[in-house]
Amino acid sequence: MRNSLWHVTKTAAFEAETELGRKRRARRMGRILAETHPDAHCELDFRNPLELAVATILSAQATDKKVNEVTPKVFAQYPTAAAYAAADRAELEITLKPTGFFRNKTDSVMKLGQQLVERFDGEVPSNLPDLVSLPGIGRKTANVILGNAFDVPGITVDTHFQRLVGRWRWTAETDPVKIEHAISAMFDKRDWTMLSHRVIFHGRRVCHARKPACGACTLAKLCPSYGTGPTDPVQAAKLLKGPRAAALAEAVGVDPSVVPQQALTADVP
């Protein structure tokens, strides 16, 4: 009864929230996310802008873990844009096959190499208009490259980010570009890239698509969607994933030993 009354009261408060109130709540959640995920970072392995551009193309419909298993061989075989442009298609397809949709991805990285050679002297450009003009690179991918390879702040609206900002009612927008603009207006520009990483980390480790770990979430008191997943702390803690799952449980006062051992090594989507 108490939980039900709390939920009704909170729902009413969120419904009456002003734009300024929502911005303040979002910023507070952003600070909590920074404490919750101090390890947040781009989970694709890369050493330069070209490698990150290729890795992001390969990450479509594939986990970062799978991409990271494939890219060492890719990067060794194709160290430059010219190498991708001149690649043997059949050979490259075999290399990229484990990432899925390998024919389309092969086409994209070969065309990317060609365009970089023809238009940018083989170098990945460091601005949004030029990046989105390249094969295989949309606005989301461009922001990943800008934020992580060039230190140019950007909001990365992937499926996790879109799901969470909707659940948190940071914005009612559903179009990725409109979401990007709405969220960027709520936070300082310098925070955009790390905010993206932290939201995505939270989506992969705590706020899952089908069954979020509501009862083991550091954002529970500020979340309009609290109760979408199990609210019992122990049950919720069993849903946490990633190498810091035990620490995430401990952060909300749950005995970390309840986190299954396999959760610590589970693949995050």
Side-chain angles (χ1 to χ4, degrees):
M1 179 67 179
R2 182 180 299 174
N3 285 341
S4 178
L5 180 60
W6 180 90
H7 185 71
V8 170
T9 303
K10 280 293 184 180
T11 299
F14 289 125
E15 292 291 346
E17 191 173 49
T18 63
E19 184 175 346
L20 178 58
R22 182 169 62 253
K23 181 176 181 178
R24 287 175 174 170
R25 179 171 60 86
R27 288 192 168 207
R28 186 178 172 191
M29 293 174 80
R31 291 192 292 272
I32 294 172
L33 284 171
E35 297 171 357
T36 304
H37 304 290
D39 57 331
H41 62 281
C42 177
E43 296 190 89
L44 292 170
D45 295 337
F46 69 98
R47 295 168 298 184
N48 56 57
L50 177 62
E51 289 187 352
L52 182 55
V54 171
T56 53
I57 290 173
L58 301 185
S59 69
Q61 304 299 314
T63 65
D64 288 353
K65 180 179 179 181
K66 176 56 66 177
V67 173
N68 290 338
E69 290 173 357
V70 172
T71 48
K73 182 178 180 180
V74 176
F75 297 158
Q77 287 183 313
Y78 309 96
T80 65
Y84 286 107
D88 177 276
R89 179 178 294 273
E91 184 178 324
L92 183 53
E93 284 185 354
I94 292 172
T95 303
L96 301 186
K97 190 171 183 178
T99 69
F101 300 94
F102 61 94
R103 292 188 178 88
N104 288 339
K105 291 177 181 180
T106 296
D107 192 57
S108 291
V109 297
M110 288 183 67
K111 288 181 177 178
L112 173 66
Q114 293 163 6
Q115 288 285 305
L116 290 176
V117 169
E118 294 172 7
R119 298 169 55 200
F120 301 104
D121 296 322
E123 299 296 324
V124 176
S126 59
N127 66 83
L128 187 65
D130 283 340
L131 281 170
V132 297
S133 74
L134 292 167
I137 298 181
R139 192 178 181 95
K140 179 190 76 174
T141 298
N143 278 324
V144 172
I145 297 168
L146 289 173
N148 297 283
F150 294 109
D151 292 324
V152 176
I155 297 285
T156 301
V157 183
D158 73 348
T159 55
H160 299 288
F161 193 96
Q162 183 168 352
R163 180 178 76 253
L164 268 60
V165 299
R167 278 181 174 170
W168 297 338
R169 296 191 193 177
W170 285 6
T171 178
E173 300 290 354
T174 56
D175 176 76
V177 176
K178 291 182 178 179
I179 290 173
E180 178 188 336
H181 291 318
I183 304 306
S184 64
M186 302 172 78
F187 292 88
D188 292 335
K189 187 174 182 178
R190 65 176 181 270
D191 297 328
W192 291 352
T193 299
M194 284 309 302
L195 174 70
S196 299
H197 289 321
R198 291 163 185 155
V199 172
I200 292 168
F201 255 56
H202 203 70
R204 287 174 166 173
R205 290 156 174 77
V206 182
C207 195
H208 312 299
R210 295 184 180 178
K211 202 173 183 181
C214 292
C217 178
T218 54
L219 301 174
K221 293 181 179 179
L222 297 171
C223 180
S225 298
Y226 175 77
T228 301
T231 58
D232 177 78
V234 173
Q235 293 302 313
K238 294 177 181 179
L239 299 174
L240 299 172
K241 289 183 179 181
R244 293 189 66 254
L248 294 175
E250 193 170 16
V252 293
V254 179
D255 182 351
S257 67
V258 305
V259 177
Q261 189 63 34
Q262 61 265 32
L264 304 178
T265 56
D267 288 348
V268 291

